[in-house]
Amino acid sequence: METDYNFWADLLTTYRSNPDWLKFLWVFLPAALLALAGSGVSRLVRAAVESRAAPSPLSPSPPPPWEREEGDGTSGDGDSR
């Protein structure tokens, strides 16, 4: 017993039998969800790039030049002994 069921024909028949407002949702809701997902992904990527560019607030910064001790290797004048 072989049936000639076609999923796409059934889907099209269902779509055509729906009211116009539901047809609108069928067409534009998936597009809106894709746009929303793309926006979320782009925000995540932007945040990741910005976090790599900015130094971490937890990492210690080198002391200012007036607080550096001689020979501690942070002065950069080549006077490390």
Side-chain angles (χ1 to χ4, degrees):
M1 180 176 198
E2 197 173 314
T3 60
D4 291 329
Y5 176 75
N6 188 339
F7 172 78
W8 298 110
D10 191 30
L11 185 66
L12 181 61
T13 303
T14 303
Y15 175 76
R16 292 181 67 185
S17 66
N18 284 327
D20 287 340
W21 66 270
L22 196 55
K23 289 178 189 176
F24 176 81
L25 288 179
W26 273 55
V27 171
F28 290 105
L29 191 61
L33 290 175
L34 284 174
L36 185 64
S39 173
V41 168
S42 69
R43 285 181 184 219
L44 287 173
V45 169
R46 185 179 307 128
V49 168
E50 288 175 356
S51 71
R52 285 184 166 231
S56 172
L58 300 177
S59 65
S61 58
W66 59 86
E67 291 182 2
R68 293 183 185 148
E69 297 177 14
E70 286 190 34
D72 66 355
T74 59
S75 62
D77 59 359
D79 192 26
S80 58
R81 295 178 203 165

